[in-house]
Amino acid sequence: MDQPEQLAPQKGTVTQRAIEQIKTMIGEGRLEPGQRLPTERDLAVQLGISRSSMREAIRALTVLGVLEARHGSGIYVTQLEAGDLLETFGVVADLSRGPRLVELLEVRRVLESTATALAAARISPDQLSDVEKHLEAMNATDDPEEILSHDLAFHRTIAFAAGNDTMAAILEGLSSRTFRARVWRGYQEEGAFERTRREHARIHRALVARDPEAARAAAAAHVGEVEEWLRAQLDG
């Protein structure tokens, strides 16, 4: 009776070891982005792991977006773009509820304020023009869907203007339309349109002034308002 109980965790451990070894090969440059993996059999022999464990490891890394299967061609290392690798993070944000939603907003507040501060120093004239365009569009309508759409574009432009693709990808995951819509639906019912317009205008002014600290404070206050509202809803 004892033996089957020992086999199950061992298989998981072997598979996990295979995952770590493939990740190490990529991290050390022995496998490059876009490169085709050796065959499942050759890789299993090379790493001293059974083919079944290797198959599970490859499947897991494919789900995570580290590897991709090309029909009739084999398994390849992806280009390892941050947005691809963080796609599962966006799914977590979309499906989270209650206290987890507050935690995600807390993370977003920290990253959004940092990204906005970086953008104040790095934003291009064209990007600044796009931010202004979305701000004006938000101010010109009371349609929640329109406001949500331009709110997403406003923050996305700022995140990319920060010049850190990984941070922008994480924020994209935290700011998916589904995630925003769920939070905004209740928040906006309480007549928060005017407040959120003022907060966006404050962020825009800080970017125009190229004032990183003012930009950081404005972004933190903006996300913090929604975060505090959500905490109050849960406590209530």
Side-chain angles (χ1 to χ4, degrees):
M1 288 294 291
D2 289 339
Q3 195 169 1
E5 291 177 2
Q6 290 172 352
L7 283 175
Q10 175 126 10
K11 185 162 183 64
T13 304
V14 172
T15 301
Q16 187 59 41
R17 195 167 78 238
I19 290 169
E20 293 304 319
Q21 285 180 285
I22 294 171
K23 283 163 62 180
T24 298
M25 290 173 76
I26 296 169
E28 292 178 350
R30 286 182 279 153
L31 285 171
E32 297 284 353
Q35 184 177 336
R36 186 179 185 276
L37 253 67
T39 65
E40 186 183 281
R41 183 181 62 189
D42 288 348
L43 204 52
V45 170
Q46 185 180 335
L47 299 180
I49 289 165
S50 71
R51 284 187 67 177
S52 62
S53 292
M54 181 54 64
R55 190 175 303 120
E56 287 181 26
I58 289 171
R59 190 180 298 130
L61 287 168
T62 302
V63 169
L64 289 171
V66 175
L67 302 177
E68 62 174 327
R70 298 182 190 171
H71 185 66
S73 178
I75 307 293
Y76 289 77
V77 181
T78 65
Q79 291 303 316
L80 302 179
E81 297 291 339
D84 298 331
L85 298 180
L86 291 165
E87 202 169 293
T88 50
F89 189 54
V91 174
V92 172
D94 282 348
L95 301 181
S96 294
R97 294 182 299 150
R100 180 63 56 80
L101 210 52
V102 176
E103 286 181 5
L104 289 169
L105 272 170
E106 195 171 57
V107 173
R108 190 187 143 213
R109 173 167 50 81
V110 172
L111 291 180
E112 190 96 50
S113 56
T114 301
T116 308
L118 288 170
R122 299 173 177 174
I123 195 164
S124 72
D126 284 348
Q127 288 170 326
L128 194 54
S129 175
D130 283 345
V131 170
E132 188 170 347
K133 180 184 72 179
H134 293 301
L135 178 64
E136 288 172 353
M138 270 188 278
N139 290 339
T141 181
D142 287 325
D143 182 325
E145 282 299 313
E146 284 275 311
I147 292 175
L148 177 59
S149 180
H150 287 290
D151 172 69
L152 280 164
F154 178 94
H155 290 288
R156 184 181 292 124
T157 304
I158 293 170
F160 280 106
N164 184 317
D165 289 347
T166 303
M167 190 186 298
I170 295 171
L171 281 167
E172 185 77 13
L174 284 172
S175 306
S176 74
R177 190 178 186 87
T178 306
F179 177 72
R180 284 281 182 92
R182 286 167 60 213
V183 174
W184 267 57
R185 199 169 292 120
Y187 183 58
Q188 297 297 356
E189 278 171 9
E190 300 192 1
F193 279 139
E194 283 311 311
R195 184 196 304 157
T196 202
R197 282 173 178 146
R198 286 196 303 271
E199 290 165 358
H200 282 94
R202 195 173 301 129
I203 291 169
H204 176 250
R205 281 197 302 273
L207 293 175
V208 170
R210 299 200 172 272
D211 185 336
E213 288 315 308
R216 185 191 305 277
H222 173 51
V223 183
E225 283 281 352
V226 185
E227 187 188 327
E228 287 309 310
W229 171 81
L230 191 59
R231 282 185 201 278
Q233 297 294 110
L234 293 173
D235 292 343

